[in-house]
Amino acid sequence: VPTRGKVTLSEVAARAGVSPTTASYILNGRSAEMRISNGAQERVRQAVVDLAYRPNRSARTLRGSKTKTIGLISDHVASGRFASQMLTGASAAARKTDHLLVIGETEGDLLLETQLIEELSDRDVDGIIYATLVARRIVLPESLETQNVVLLNCFDPDRPVPSVLPDDLGGGRTAARKLLDGGAAEVVGVVGHDPDVTALAGPRRLEGITAELGAAGESVAALVRCDWDVHAAHEAVGTWLATGPTPTGLICLNDRIAMGTYQALADHGLQVPDDVAVVSFDGSDLATWLRPPVTSVALPLAELGAAAVRLLTGEEPVGDQPLQVPMQVRRGASVVVPQTMAARSGGDGV
Amino acid sequence: VPTRGKVTLSEVAARAGVSPTTASYILNGRSAEMRISNGAQERVRQAVVDLAYRPNRSARTLRGSKTKTIGLISDHVASGRFASQMLTGASAAARKTDHLLVIGETEGDLLLETQLIEELSDRDVDGIIYATLVARRIVLPESLETQNVVLLNCFDPDRPVPSVLPDDLGGGRTAARKLLDGGAAEVVGVVGHDPDVTALAGPRRLEGITAELGAAGESVAALVRCDWDVHAAHEAVGTWLATGPTPTGLICLNDRIAMGTYQALADHGLQVPDDVAVVSFDGSDLATWLRPPVTSVALPLAELGAAAVRLLTGEEPVGDQPLQVPMQVRRGASVVVPQTMAARSGGDGV
DNA sequence: CTGTTAGCGCCTTCAA
DNA sequence: TTGAAGGCGCTAACAG
């Protein structure tokens, strides 16, 4: 067995008793087109195996310039499961078309961002996925304008760049629907507020919630503003409850908010779901850890990543609007399910 | 401004009025060695800027064969913040030496693993980091034997491969020390148990705990076996408490277990930290979300990833033992701090 | 001090 | 049906 990565196409050809040209044709699936003899084909393929031949990618790239590599650049590769599940989805989808992912994390540093984009482009990646941790509007970096690019979890309203987003509006409707179905939509509070005007998730979820409640003749009774984390929610909801309202249902804009909300409800002696029904967003593991587990409209993280890759590789056609990936319900036990519903349950979400 | 990625070194040389060779020397920092005239240097550098020249990596690789690229292959790139924080650390460290990361996720599929390793090696990566989600013993894949490789969060006892691990033993001692300092080591329970014999974290933490308690004349009073997740811990601890013990301190082998433990303690009307002190491991955000926040011995995730890169690039010398990265305490409020301690506090960990 | 030259491994006209 | 030849962009002998 020869040393890896040292065998050239010529050697394979020699061993098979043909010219490099012929071998090349055969290995690139053009034997039919070129009418190569069966004998030659077999001998070449055998030689490939015998010699453990692997084509030299650099040489190919130098000549051709496809690399079977996709660049993924994001502000935060880390930060919890979020970006990483998108990564997983992207990585798996990439592999299906024989691609690998090169990643770069900018940490919000604009200079670094530019540098990383250059680095990726130096490596002749076949395309670049530009991802943000938080769904939001962006302005496409100039250095990406000449690239084959897909926006992941963000979009640029001023430029016709393909992009993928979770369907937060639909998700909002779904969340509200859960409360309606659970008969808990009489006094609905929405917990959470995004101070960043470019953020998309909060406003669009709220829009969906409002629409769905409105269609049923209900409305959002209160908006409890707080950052999207446990402590802020705990405090804000606690303060709010102290002022006397008695909500029948709460929609938390993410699972961390739900956790804080649970804490505040417990402080006030309120039971979930009997006193108050709760629905949240994210579908993270945290949702299942709460007692009772909170019903959560899940971010389709892996699917978002996968869709971005498919858009980039052309497996999936790009429309002129952002691709909206539906959000599925991860059912918990934080909403009472009426009998009629329970009877035909089991359909939605995981 | 010329089109990106199209300018060749010859063009730069031409514009500067020198030969490609000279230009090459200058751009590779060998002008001193080759005694290139200052004039030539300046003109070349100017031409580079004017033309926005960027060297063609494929050509370089074809000739030389360094790629300034590091492969990172792991069983699960996703799964929460864990792997992703290691990724962040690795990515940042890589960038310091001008490297980029190519990732591959095997999802535990051995065939896929082999394929990905081949893919990486086809791309002439300068080295491969082989990472596991759960710290454990492994057998180095055969296809990696001829590669420049570093093991991340795992090690192969039978092969002298550089590897990086968290110092779970030291972490165990630290956890126990917290309880001792808090005067809560009279009846200590350890919650969690890893059924996988190749796993490292559980046994080594326990070992550290036992050693530290032993040195102080105390010991582990009970081992509450359960999987490393919230529900399992809730149930196991609940069951155990029902049998009547009254622990003074509990050490949970990770933060999810701590959450479940908190739930069980609450069920039994026990207060943290007054009735029972709790210490856990991981240092995840979850630790800060609990009420009171649990004091947690943190996994140095980013540092693990960074260290692996440094080992691979030779920035850090490799020893013959796995590199053990210390675990720092993330202090919560789940252990009562005695006055004398409080007075000189503020020192350890964030 | 600088230019000429050859070749890394592959693909692809062009000719046979 | 197959082979010979050139060039992708860069670097490093080897001359000047």
Side-chain angles (χ1 to χ4, degrees):
Chain A
V1 184
T3 317
R4 270 298 313 289
K6 297 289 309 169
V7 185
T8 73
L9 183 56
S10 309
E11 300 181 65
V12 171
R15 184 175 231 263
V18 300
S19 80
T21 313
T22 307
S24 173
Y25 283 148
I26 294 173
L27 295 186
N28 292 329
R30 302 178 53 183
S31 16
E33 177 187 346
M34 290 294 142
R35 306 190 184 185
I36 311 278
S37 67
N38 280 333
Q41 290 188 43
E42 297 220 343
R43 275 174 296 140
V44 168
R45 293 193 194 290
Q46 187 57 50
V48 164
V49 174
D50 294 346
L51 268 29
Y53 167 76
R54 307 227 94 205
N56 179 317
R57 290 220 176 233
S58 305
R60 273 199 176 158
T61 302
L62 182 55
R63 182 114 219 311
S65 111
K66 294 244 146 298
T67 52
K68 291 277 187 187
T69 302
I70 292 173
L72 168 15
I73 185 164
S74 89
D75 46 2
H76 299 281
V77 168
S79 285
R81 77 198 177 105
F82 183 77
S84 66
Q85 275 188 228
M86 294 201 315
L87 259 193
T88 298
S91 177
R95 214 187 47 71
K96 282 197 187 135
T97 52
D98 231 30
H99 287 258
L100 243 37
L101 242 42
V102 192
I103 62 171
E105 183 170 15
T106 67
E107 293 155 40
D109 179 333
L110 238 51
L111 176 58
L112 179 50
E113 175 176 285
T114 311
Q115 289 173 344
L116 287 175
I117 292 172
E118 299 239 297
E119 286 278 333
L120 289 177
S121 125
D122 285 352
R123 282 168 168 77
D124 284 312
V125 292
D126 296 342
I128 295 184
I129 295 176
Y130 183 87
T132 57
L133 177 61
V134 171
R136 58 188 174 88
R137 272 179 289 143
I138 58 152
V139 177
L140 186 73
E142 202 177 332
S143 41
L144 280 180
E145 276 171 3
T146 57
Q147 297 275 339
N148 178 24
V149 57
V150 168
L151 303 181
L152 177 49
N153 209 34
C154 54
F155 87 111
D156 182 338
D158 301 325
R159 245 154 298 238
V161 188
S163 86
V164 192
L165 289 167
D167 178 16
D168 286 302
L169 204 145
R173 302 192 81 112
T174 304
R177 168 68 26 216
K178 281 285 153 192
L179 247 35
L180 288 165
D181 289 349
E186 215 165 306
V187 183
V188 174
V190 174
V191 187
H193 173 71
D194 207 318
D196 182 350
V197 290
T198 67
L200 297 171
R204 302 187 68 232
R205 286 173 191 175
L206 189 53
E207 191 182 337
I209 293 166
T210 308
E212 188 75 9
L213 288 178
E218 303 283 359
S219 65
V220 174
L223 209 55
V224 183
R225 303 192 159 210
C226 65
D227 281 351
W228 293 34
D229 73 64
V230 179
H231 291 302
H234 179 193
E235 192 169 341
V237 174
T239 305
W240 176 63
L241 287 176
T243 69
T246 52
T248 56
L250 291 176
I251 299 181
C252 301
L253 291 182
N254 77 8
D255 290 335
R256 297 193 301 280
I257 291 177
M259 181 169 180
T261 298
Y262 268 47
Q263 293 173 348
L265 290 173
D267 291 346
H268 287 256
L270 293 169
Q271 301 285 328
V272 177
D274 296 324
D275 300 325
V276 185
V278 179
V279 177
S280 86
F281 290 88
D282 268 12
S284 63
D285 288 337
L286 179 58
T288 71
W289 296 339
L290 301 179
R291 285 183 316 159
V294 65
T295 292
S296 187
V297 181
L299 280 170
L301 295 172
E303 177 53 21
L304 286 169
V309 167
R310 290 198 303 266
L311 247 32
L312 206 54
T313 56
E315 287 165 89
E316 187 154 333
V318 314
D320 49 357
Q321 289 299 309
L323 178 61
Q324 309 252 348
V325 182
M327 302 176 77
Q328 304 283 332
V329 172
R330 259 184 104 168
R331 181 177 298 163
S334 58
V335 180
V336 174
V337 181
Q339 292 311 321
T340 55
M341 287 275 121
R344 59 178 175 83
S345 80
D348 54 357
V350 175
Chain B
V1 184
T3 318
R4 271 297 316 288
K6 297 289 310 170
V7 185
T8 72
L9 183 57
S10 310
E11 300 181 66
V12 171
R15 183 175 231 262
V18 300
S19 79
T21 313
T22 306
S24 173
Y25 283 147
I26 295 173
L27 296 185
N28 293 328
R30 303 178 51 183
S31 14
E33 178 187 344
M34 291 295 139
R35 307 190 183 186
I36 310 278
S37 68
N38 280 333
Q41 290 188 44
E42 296 220 344
R43 276 174 293 139
V44 168
R45 292 192 196 289
Q46 187 57 50
V48 164
V49 173
D50 294 346
L51 268 29
Y53 167 76
R54 308 227 93 208
N56 180 315
R57 290 214 175 240
S58 305
R60 270 199 179 157
T61 303
L62 181 55
R63 185 105 221 314
S65 111
K66 294 246 145 294
T67 52
K68 290 276 187 188
T69 302
I70 292 173
L72 166 17
I73 186 165
S74 88
D75 45 2
H76 300 280
V77 168
S79 285
R81 76 195 179 107
F82 183 77
S84 67
Q85 274 187 230
M86 292 201 317
L87 259 193
T88 297
S91 177
R95 211 184 49 70
K96 283 201 186 130
T97 51
D98 230 30
H99 288 257
L100 242 38
L101 243 42
V102 192
I103 61 170
E105 184 170 16
T106 67
E107 293 156 40
D109 178 334
L110 238 51
L111 176 58
L112 179 50
E113 175 175 285
T114 311
Q115 289 173 344
L116 287 175
I117 292 172
E118 299 240 297
E119 287 279 334
L120 289 177
S121 124
D122 284 352
R123 281 168 169 76
D124 285 312
V125 292
D126 296 341
I128 295 183
I129 295 175
Y130 184 87
T132 57
L133 178 62
V134 171
R136 59 189 173 86
R137 270 179 291 142
I138 58 152
V139 177
L140 186 73
E142 202 177 333
S143 40
L144 280 180
E145 277 173 2
T146 58
Q147 297 276 337
N148 178 22
V149 56
V150 168
L151 268 27
L152 176 50
N153 209 33
C154 54
F155 87 111
D156 182 339
D158 301 326
R159 246 154 297 239
V161 188
S163 86
V164 191
L165 288 167
D167 178 16
D168 286 302
L169 204 145
R173 303 191 82 113
T174 304
R177 168 68 26 216
K178 282 285 152 191
L179 246 36
L180 288 165
D181 289 348
E186 212 164 309
V187 184
V188 174
V190 174
V191 187
H193 173 70
D194 207 319
D196 181 350
V197 290
T198 67
L200 297 171
R204 301 187 67 231
R205 287 173 191 175
L206 190 54
E207 191 182 338
I209 293 166
T210 307
E212 188 74 10
L213 288 179
E218 303 283 357
S219 64
V220 174
L223 209 54
V224 183
R225 303 193 160 211
C226 65
D227 281 352
W228 292 33
D229 73 64
V230 180
H231 291 301
H234 179 193
E235 191 170 342
V237 174
T239 304
W240 175 63
L241 288 175
T243 68
T246 52
T248 56
L250 290 176
I251 298 181
C252 302
L253 291 183
N254 78 6
D255 290 335
R256 298 194 301 281
I257 291 177
M259 181 171 180
T261 298
Y262 268 47
Q263 294 172 348
L265 291 173
D267 291 346
H268 288 256
L270 293 168
Q271 302 285 328
V272 176
D274 297 323
D275 300 325
V276 185
V278 179
V279 176
S280 86
F281 290 88
D282 266 11
S284 64
D285 288 337
L286 179 58
T288 71
W289 296 339
L290 301 179
R291 286 184 314 160
V294 65
T295 292
S296 187
V297 181
L299 280 170
L301 295 172
E303 177 54 21
L304 286 169
V309 167
R310 291 198 303 268
L311 248 31
L312 207 54
T313 57
E315 289 165 88
E316 186 155 333
V318 313
D320 50 357
Q321 289 299 308
L323 178 61
Q324 309 252 348
V325 182
M327 301 176 78
Q328 304 282 332
V329 172
R330 258 184 105 167
R331 180 179 298 164
S334 57
V335 180
V336 174
V337 181
Q339 292 311 322
T340 55
M341 288 273 121
R344 59 175 174 83
S345 80
D348 55 356
V350 173

